[in-house]
Amino acid sequence: MTDEKPFVDIRHAQKSYGTLEVLKDISLTVNRGEIVAIIGPSGSGKSTLLRAINDLDPLTGGEVWLEDTQINKQLPHRQYEKHINQVRQDIGMVFQHFNLFPHLTVRGNITLAPKMLKGLSEAEANALAEEQLDKVGMLERIDYYPSQLSGGQKQRVAIARALAMKPKVMLFDEATSALDPELVEEVNLVMKKLAEEHMTMIIVTHEMGFAESVCDRVLFMDQGVVVEEGPPSVIFRNPENERTKNFLRKHLASNKE
Amino acid sequence: MDIDLMMKVYPFFLKAAWVTVQLSVLTAILGLICGSLGAAARLSRHAVLRWIGGAYVSFIRGTPALIQLFILYFGGPQVGIQLDAFEAGVIGLGVNIGAYMTETIRGAIISIDKGQVEASRTLGMSRFQTFRKVVLPQAMRLMIRPLGVNINALIKGTALVAAISVVELTYTAQRYIGSTYKPFEMFLMSGLLYMVIIYVTGRAVTWLDNKAKIV
Ligand SMILES: Nc1ncnc2c1ncn2[C@@H]1O[C@H](COP(=O)(O)OP(=O)(O)OP(=O)(O)O)[C@@H](O)[C@H]1O
Ligand SMILES: [Mg+2]
């Protein structure tokens, strides 16, 4: 299921805000079909790293590649915009706060970009929306507005919206953190389904149980560096680094409250 | 109160009210154009445009509208701008209210959650597509009421053009006071007609605002 050539390749990523170094020389490769979880304390740079992949938060140093395309190319403004709009179609992103378009129905949310960017007809876009919504179990809500949905339903629609662009890789930034506990599972199930279909995924999460059951590899980040990485069985059961151990211990303790 | 006199002169006031309506409509249209351009400038990527937009807003909001009208109408000919009183009124008031509308429109646009832009951009939509399909439709709904407030101010502001002798409601009242010596009745009649215009406009704004509600 994975081949040797890196699919997503982050080389020496650096990011500073003024004097604050948020990412300190991070390298990470993800193979096709691989599912990688990024964990770590708040402020460690997880979101920054994830958002650097589609250049939403541009790096101050280093390179990001998707297959044979460098994403964060230095280009004149117009050319850069053209380039980035093209590569972003291949990178789906799911946000903590869903960011559905409130003025559009579920259908409108999903069909907007495929119609604008891929020239799909109304009928083709509708068929696509129905297919994706069926996948996330939201087909019967196709004509609802986001304000009429629960958090879990919104997030499933947001996932369907990203999938409708047929991305090569999906990025999740704490997709379930804003949800009521009883709504987390329905979103996790959708993500598991994607995993079974071998979607390449990079998942920032605070849910260790989910990461352990779904991911092929876990990265523990702290203060802008990858402190430890490995298969979930090792990171969660037998971490080597003291910082990893501390973080997991604290995290388990706070989750038991 | 001299009701008979009021009954006698009211057709002239209706005619004047019509001038006020025309003045208001044209001013509102020009104001919306200036406001849209002003907001675009203030939100531009280019510092020069941002500066121009900022200077426009500061100048207009920092000086009395009456002075702006006088500069245009009395000062204009000196620099080769010949306008009749009505034209000067529309342009002067339109450019004036446009500065306030600039801030209204800009405020509505920047109040849209950044996450909306991010979601759209990560799908691959361009800056312009994102603005047109995601930001603007949401911002438009938010700006209806505050633009209504701007238009309310604009309608009342049209009274200023009496000072450059446009024969609208305020000027008409003044003119009839000259011959009737009944300022109370004359100004009251003008006031009532302003109120009707403002009431109708207010209802239209409420109707639009309700219609624009999403669900
Ligand atoms: N726009 C910004 N300007 C300045 N500092 C920023 C900015 N964005 C993020 N930071 C800082 O960068 C660091 C990393 O932030 P980041 O959001 O990547 O952390 P995170 O690991 O995702 O945390 P969390 O678990 O809370 O989401 C933080 O110290 C944060 O304060
Ligand atoms: Mg984060």
Side-chain angles (χ1 to χ4, degrees):
Chain A
M1 126 178 127
T2 58
D3 47 35
E4 318 78 47
K5 218 171 120 203
F7 197 56
V8 178
D9 193 1
I10 301 173
R11 302 175 190 163
H12 305 291
Q14 277 175 301
K15 172 81 178 179
S16 316
Y17 291 106
T19 53
L20 178 70
E21 262 194 293
V22 178
L23 301 178
K24 302 168 188 162
D25 193 21
I26 292 188
S27 293
L28 164 68
T29 61
V30 178
N31 295 322
R32 187 193 294 273
E34 199 180 13
I35 300 165
V36 174
I38 303 176
I39 62 170
S42 185
S44 55
K46 307 181 295 294
S47 297
T48 308
L49 181 63
L50 196 72
R51 292 158 58 88
I53 294 174
N54 59 16
D55 222 26
L56 212 50
D57 284 343
L59 293 174
T60 40
E63 295 179 358
V64 183
W65 291 73
L66 175 64
E67 291 185 295
D68 298 321
T69 310
Q70 186 183 351
I71 293 168
N72 62 339
K73 260 193 244 178
Q74 297 294 323
L75 290 169
H77 179 76
R78 272 168 194 278
Q79 277 164 273
Y80 167 81
E81 286 292 316
K82 220 174 145 207
H83 154 79
I84 200 70
N85 294 334
Q86 193 61 46
V87 295
R88 279 179 180 156
Q89 294 189 27
D90 291 334
I91 307 173
M93 180 143 192
V94 175
F95 302 86
Q96 183 175 358
H97 296 287
F98 332 123
N99 299 350
L100 290 180
F101 307 132
H103 61 298
L104 300 176
T105 60
V106 167
R107 185 198 304 274
N109 266 273
I110 296 177
T111 56
L112 177 64
K115 279 197 294 197
M116 302 274 305
L117 303 174
K118 299 196 166 167
L120 263 57
S121 70
E122 202 67 41
E124 289 167 330
N126 270 325
L128 176 68
E130 282 164 20
E131 176 198 344
Q132 298 306 327
L133 284 170
D134 193 36
K135 192 179 225 164
V136 300
M138 286 295 295
L139 186 52
E140 62 296 5
R141 298 290 158 99
I142 189 163
D143 289 315
Y144 282 50
Y145 280 91
S147 61
Q148 299 169 314
L149 304 176
S150 73
Q153 292 173 330
K154 281 184 201 167
Q155 195 59 297
R156 286 189 280 152
V157 171
I159 293 172
R161 176 175 71 180
L163 290 175
M165 291 304 289
K166 311 275 177 185
K168 294 175 177 168
V169 51
M170 286 283 285
L171 312 176
F172 293 86
D173 193 356
E174 301 195 32
T176 56
S177 293
L179 298 178
D180 291 336
E182 71 272 19
L183 302 177
V184 168
E185 197 49 34
E186 64 188 61
V187 174
N188 281 348
L189 280 174
V190 169
M191 291 169 69
K192 276 183 185 153
K193 201 158 154 191
L194 287 180
E196 282 157 19
E197 293 169 10
H198 307 301
M199 172 62 81
T200 309
M201 297 197 268
I202 305 176
I203 303 172
V204 171
T205 183
H206 283 297
E207 283 188 80
M208 306 306 155
F210 177 73
E212 184 161 8
S213 66
V214 174
C215 298
D216 302 308
R217 190 148 51 101
V218 180
L219 263 71
F220 171 67
M221 275 182 73
D222 194 12
Q223 294 177 6
V225 296
V226 176
V227 174
E228 190 167 356
E229 76 173 281
S233 56
V234 174
I235 299 291
F236 291 121
R237 307 286 159 199
N238 290 305
E240 284 177 6
N241 193 289
E242 273 315 305
R243 277 148 86 185
T244 317
K245 286 182 198 170
N246 265 329
F247 171 75
L248 289 171
R249 198 178 310 126
K250 273 194 207 138
H251 199 84
L252 281 177
S254 69
N255 271 10
K256 267 180 195 142
E257 276 169 19
Chain B
M1 197 159 73
D2 193 341
I3 304 280
D4 281 350
L5 176 66
M6 285 171 82
M7 294 308 286
K8 219 181 310 164
V9 296
Y10 92 90
F12 301 103
F13 278 78
L14 279 185
K15 237 172 109 185
W18 177 235
V19 175
T20 293
V21 168
Q22 287 175 315
L23 204 55
S24 301
V25 170
L26 292 174
T27 301
I29 292 169
L30 181 60
L32 284 169
I33 293 169
C34 291
S36 305
L37 293 175
R42 292 214 57 184
L43 295 169
S44 166
R45 283 198 302 117
H46 303 286
V48 180
L49 289 177
R50 284 201 301 277
W51 186 87
I52 292 172
Y56 165 50
V57 171
S58 306
F59 173 73
I60 298 292
R61 297 209 304 189
T63 52
L66 195 58
I67 295 293
Q68 294 159 19
L69 267 182
F70 284 170
I71 290 176
L72 187 65
Y73 186 61
F74 297 119
Q78 226 176 300
V79 290
I81 303 170
Q82 290 284 356
L83 298 169
D84 69 35
F86 186 85
E87 288 164 354
V90 168
I91 294 173
L93 293 175
V95 170
N96 175 275
I97 205 69
Y100 294 89
M101 289 179 165
T102 294
E103 291 303 272
T104 301
I105 294 170
R106 171 174 162 273
I109 289 170
I110 60 176
S111 74
I112 301 302
D113 181 20
K114 253 183 70 220
Q116 291 289 308
V117 175
E118 289 184 351
S120 175
R121 296 303 309 272
T122 52
L123 290 165
M125 305 246 284
S126 70
R127 282 165 63 99
F128 181 67
Q129 288 169 330
T130 298
F131 180 73
R132 192 158 65 88
K133 293 289 185 179
V134 176
V135 176
L136 193 58
Q138 295 183 56
M140 294 257 270
R141 293 177 164 86
L142 292 180
M143 61 179 86
I144 294 171
R145 280 195 174 275
L147 282 177
V149 172
N150 292 146
I151 288 173
N152 176 299
L154 162 174
I155 295 169
K156 289 182 279 196
T158 59
L160 287 176
V161 301
I164 54 172
S165 3
V166 178
V167 188
E168 44 66 78
L169 275 173
T170 304
Y171 186 82
T172 300
Q174 288 167 345
R175 194 155 77 177
Y176 279 91
I177 292 161
S179 52
T180 62
Y181 305 103
K182 300 271 183 169
F184 182 78
E185 284 84 349
M186 297 303 109
F187 280 132
L188 184 67
M189 198 137 65
S190 284
L192 287 173
L193 286 168
Y194 276 116
M195 216 173 86
V196 170
I197 297 170
I198 284 171
Y199 176 77
V200 171
T201 313
R203 290 304 297 258
V205 169
T206 306
W207 177 81
L208 253 181
D209 189 52
N210 284 332
K211 212 173 137 68
K213 289 229 167 64
I214 293 165
V215 247

